[in-house]
Amino acid sequence: MRVRDLPLSRTTIDHFESRGIDELYPPQAAAVEAGVTEGRRLVAAVPTASGKTFVATLAMLTADGPGLYIVPLRALAREKYETFSEVPDVSVGISTGDFDSSAAELGDNDIVVATSEKVDSAIRNGADWISDLACVVVDEVHLVGSEGRGPTLEVTLATLQRRAPGVQIVALSATVANPDELADWLDAGLVQSTWRPVDLRTGVYAGGAVGFDDDTQRQVSVAGDPDDATDATEALVAETVDDGGQALAFVRSRREAETLAERLAGVGSSPEVAEEIRDLDGTETGRRLADCVEGGVAFHHAGLRSAHRIAVERAFRDRRLRAICATPTLAAGVNVPARRVVIRDQKRYTGSGMEWLPTLEVHQMCGRAGRPHLDPYGEAVLVGDPTIRDELWERYVEAEPERVDSKLADPNALRTHVLSIVASDFAASREGVLDVLDATFFAHGTPTDELSGVLDTAIADLVEMEMIVDENGLAATDLGTQVSRQYVTPATGARIVDGLRTAAGMTEVTGLTALEIVCDTPDMQDTYLGNRERADMYRFAQAHADEFTTRMGETDDFEGWLTAVKTARILHEWTEGASAEDLVEQFRIGPGDLESRIERAEWLLGAADAIAGIVDVAADVPFRDRRARL
DNA sequence: TCAATCGAGCTTTAGACAGCATGTC
DNA sequence: CTAAAGCTCGATTGA
């Protein structure tokens, strides 16, 4: 099947043909045969890089009205925004937390790219462009099975169909065990394929040789101990680099990514990129990164500032870097393909020991191997030793990836969504809520009455928190409405209200008070509190005890609170003019961690200020002032 | 006396979405 | 519950 046979305009066809897209890939042809261009719903469970984006584009271009493309990451939103913007005669809008076209503008676009939370928020707040949608594409739908954000995605898809009845839904999924259930849920056809534009070989390294799944073997000359995973990784990376390719090495922790990068540095040389990185900041991490990059290798993890991450990703795509040593950030993020992917660590610390990584996650790392048009093939190598060779083989080479299952029954998730359903007038009774939830992936797999018990506790909790009232039906209070609008979880809203009430009886309410409240909230990420700084943090907490809404000794989670105090302290020093360099040094956090905490605090302080405006207490906590100083 | 080596014990451990109003280039 | 690598600091060993 050829592009020119598709029901597209002449200019659009020219555009695709000019970029070498002429003949459809088999999965794309299958999608067309399944009716994507005729408004049919579809679930496509195909590997990354097999042309999913093109299928999505086809669906949105042929739909009879505007399209929405939902992504899980902001970086992905930007990437898609750019690719769609290149299509002639198509106006594209973007809507994410950090980058937003104005609401009025969104409705005028042919295509809008947005994160799932942003779409959820738009639906909650009754944005009218939602109801005009003719086509919705969901990228990475398998994430409905993820614990934190999965429920948001499934509820969003459920409510979206109420606002825009009859929309065409095109869901793109990684290869999972039960794509048929996803298709069933969405009332969609299913296209499944393992086809890739570049061949991918997966293998297991052990004792000096890699055994691949195409039954080939390859000897690797390791400079050190062939049973040492790091020595082997070094050799595997060096091999492809010497061969003119690029490599990606996945390790377990940030520190290990950095040390490995330092060891590998020297396989290439990228002084210009190093210069570019050095110019970004004077942070210790930035310097180390620049030093590695000087030698052609970068490290990549969430402790990096986003500017650093972007610089590294771009340089690698432009082939100005030979290798990246990364934590799993890179597995699911923007498109950064390499000829060879080396997975040194397959286990991860979970809080109670080491656990094998999910098969799906390892497959996604492997899927980064092979650049279309640039590499003759892609190779993914799992590094092990003779002891675990067979286990790695069974678990990741032969094994089918996991099932996707709803996590909506989680009490926290349900509470959040029950509140939003009631607050946005989707339902005014217990039955009404169940009716909305009926379109959910959870309900599709389980009879709705199994939700009943959890639903009752969720409602009871929300009544207790004064966010809804349960008299002759359900209705949101002003507080509940505000909490839902501000997009904070009910628990966060409750913590803010509690903080305000305590503050009303305090004599010393300061900027630190505002930060403590907001940092002690479940929506704030915690900051690791090391044993060595604990004593110092304790002294700080004591010295400022009068400014805190939590009395030491009255908390049942003192450790957790002390963690919040650390975050508040960092942010406080930031608002008082401390430099990022010093904070990073003093509190041993990554520059990227600082960045993300500041961003979050900004959001939560805004939410707290909005909530303070409707709660009837005498406290005057300077949320707004702190926010301005951030 | 000093330095290199070894080892017990301790520390640390991935990631990342969201509001809103106003101001600036 | 089910861990493992790096680091610190002190003890041992060797010159």
Side-chain angles (χ1 to χ4, degrees):
Chain A
M1 188 180 292
R2 287 177 310 177
V3 170
R4 72 179 59 156
D5 301 327
L6 295 170
L8 298 171
S9 74
R10 189 67 240 170
T11 34
T12 312
I13 290 171
D14 287 345
H15 167 257
F16 287 125
E17 286 186 339
S18 74
R19 357 200 77 216
I21 304 173
D22 187 24
E23 186 75 26
L24 293 194
Y25 290 156
Q28 295 169 338
V32 172
E33 267 153 36
V36 243
T37 57
E38 289 150 23
R40 297 278 307 277
R41 290 185 172 197
L42 184 72
V43 169
V46 298
T48 4
S50 64
K52 285 195 280 200
T53 309
F54 184 67
V55 172
T57 315
L58 281 183
M60 294 190 291
L61 291 181
T62 55
D64 191 23
L68 169 65
Y69 192 95
I70 304 177
V71 289
L73 300 171
R74 302 196 290 214
L76 237 34
R78 216 160 293 184
E79 189 183 62
K80 298 304 176 194
Y81 173 77
E82 274 158 27
T83 57
F84 295 143
S85 295
E86 288 169 3
V87 181
D89 306 327
V90 171
S91 63
V92 188
I94 185 169
S95 182
T96 68
D98 61 337
F99 197 79
D100 212 347
S101 318
S102 78
E105 249 172 65
L106 284 177
D108 295 334
N109 290 302
D110 301 314
I111 294 176
V112 171
V113 185
T115 52
S116 38
E117 283 74 12
K118 199 68 182 183
V119 176
D120 183 27
S121 172
I123 293 171
R124 288 189 196 188
N125 297 318
D128 47 3
W129 57 273
I130 293 284
S131 45
D132 300 330
L133 292 170
C135 177
V136 173
V137 179
V138 195
D139 202 356
E140 319 277 355
V141 231
H142 56 274
L143 289 175
V144 289
S146 75
E147 225 144 295
R149 303 171 57 200
T152 306
L153 186 53
E154 61 171 306
V155 171
T156 298
L157 286 174
T159 48
L160 196 58
Q161 295 182 65
R162 296 212 153 204
R163 286 264 197 256
V167 251
Q168 177 188 13
I169 293 180
V170 176
L172 311 173
S173 172
T175 309
V176 294
N178 56 336
D180 50 320
E181 290 175 34
L182 289 171
D184 239 38
W185 163 47
L186 295 170
D187 194 20
L190 175 64
V191 168
Q192 238 183 316
S193 160
T194 54
W195 185 92
R196 286 175 42 110
V198 184
D199 283 335
L200 172 65
R201 295 198 291 170
T202 306
V204 174
Y205 168 95
V210 186
F212 284 103
D213 56 355
D214 59 359
D215 294 326
T216 56
Q217 278 266 127
R218 184 192 179 98
Q219 290 298 315
V220 181
S221 53
V222 179
D225 176 5
D227 283 341
D228 180 273
T230 307
D231 287 346
T233 303
E234 193 172 356
L236 286 162
V237 169
E239 221 177 51
T240 51
V241 169
D242 288 346
D243 216 34
Q246 292 171 288
L248 228 48
F250 285 104
V251 295
R252 190 176 29 187
S253 70
R254 296 175 178 184
R255 192 170 52 190
E256 285 168 273
E258 297 188 13
T259 27
L260 182 61
E262 276 162 0
R263 269 185 66 166
L264 293 175
V267 296
S269 151
S270 316
E272 306 86 6
V273 185
E275 200 52 43
E276 187 185 321
I277 284 164
R278 235 184 287 272
D279 286 346
L280 282 171
D281 68 18
T283 272
E284 165 72 13
T285 316
R287 271 197 302 277
R288 290 185 74 183
L289 179 61
D291 289 345
C292 290
V293 166
E294 193 91 44
V297 182
F299 53 83
H300 187 289
H301 56 65
L304 296 185
R305 293 184 44 199
S306 52
H308 279 144
R309 284 202 254 174
I310 290 167
V312 167
E313 290 156 8
R314 197 182 46 226
F316 192 79
R317 262 198 308 268
D318 297 344
R319 313 185 83 189
R320 288 145 72 211
L321 282 175
R322 314 308 315 187
I324 301 181
C325 305
T327 56
T329 0
L330 222 51
V334 295
N335 189 28
V336 183
R339 181 178 303 173
R340 180 181 272 176
V341 168
V342 183
I343 303 171
R344 196 198 67 181
D345 301 328
Q346 299 89 23
K347 283 186 173 179
R348 180 160 58 214
Y349 176 74
T350 56
S352 54
M354 302 298 283
E355 259 172 27
W356 290 102
L357 294 175
T359 306
L360 178 64
E361 205 172 315
V362 170
H363 282 184
Q364 286 204 303
M365 294 177 183
C366 294
R368 303 258 103 146
R371 299 189 60 169
H373 312 302
L374 286 175
D375 293 322
Y377 55 86
E379 268 181 5
V381 181
L382 297 146
V383 178
D385 59 50
T387 346
I388 56 166
R389 173 203 210 115
D390 294 342
E391 170 122 47
L392 289 179
W393 189 267
E394 280 165 29
R395 202 175 266 283
Y396 299 119
V397 183
E398 287 182 332
E400 193 182 357
E402 292 81 7
R403 288 176 47 83
V404 177
D405 285 302
S406 171
K407 300 291 183 294
L408 186 59
D410 174 77
N412 278 309
L414 197 63
R415 208 188 295 138
T416 300
H417 292 293
V418 168
L419 175 61
S420 89
I421 287 167
V422 173
S424 50
D425 291 329
F426 272 118
S429 68
R430 195 178 168 286
E431 292 65 38
V433 172
L434 278 175
D435 184 47
V436 173
L437 294 178
D438 197 49
T440 234
F441 187 48
F442 182 92
H444 180 264
T446 336
T448 329
D449 37 294
E450 291 220 0
L451 262 187
S452 249
V454 211
L455 178 59
D456 287 336
T457 27
I459 292 174
D461 289 349
L462 289 165
V463 170
E464 163 90 30
M465 292 171 167
E466 298 169 35
M467 293 182 192
I468 61 176
V469 286
D470 187 4
E471 294 155 4
N472 311 316
L474 303 173
T477 62
D478 286 348
L479 174 63
T481 307
Q482 199 57 240
V483 164
S484 175
R485 282 188 68 112
Q486 296 296 323
Y487 213 81
V488 294
T489 61
T492 290
R495 173 67 184 91
I496 291 168
V497 169
D498 192 54
L500 283 164
R501 289 193 176 138
T502 311
M506 287 168 36
T507 49
E508 206 177 342
V509 174
T510 65
L512 194 55
T513 314
L515 289 168
E516 181 237 356
I517 294 175
V518 146
C519 292
D520 193 30
T521 254
D523 276 315
M524 187 69 191
Q525 69 212 125
D526 0 296
T527 308
Y528 183 79
L529 181 62
N531 276 332
R532 274 184 234 130
E533 26 175 12
R534 179 164 282 107
D536 178 51
M537 207 54 66
Y538 186 79
R539 271 195 301 279
F540 177 83
Q542 263 180 331
H544 295 274
D546 292 346
E547 298 168 64
F548 292 141
T549 62
T550 303
R551 292 274 155 270
M552 286 193 266
E554 281 175 27
T555 356
D556 33 288
D557 181 21
F558 183 73
E559 283 300 300
W561 178 72
L562 208 56
T563 293
V565 168
K566 175 174 176 177
T567 316
R569 183 180 178 183
I570 294 171
L571 292 169
H572 185 247
E573 296 202 9
W574 174 256
T575 58
E576 298 297 315
S579 73
E581 284 80 5
D582 292 344
L583 292 175
V584 161
E585 166 85 13
Q586 188 188 344
F587 296 101
R588 295 185 305 165
I589 55 171
D593 298 317
L594 211 214
E595 209 173 60
S596 71
R597 271 155 191 87
I598 291 169
E599 194 180 286
R600 255 190 223 221
E602 246 176 277
W603 160 48
L604 290 170
L605 287 167
D609 185 50
I611 288 170
I614 53 144
V615 176
D616 189 27
V617 287
D620 189 19
V621 186
F623 294 117
R624 194 178 307 196
D625 168 68
R626 280 302 113 174
R627 202 184 148 281
R629 286 173 191 247
L630 276 176

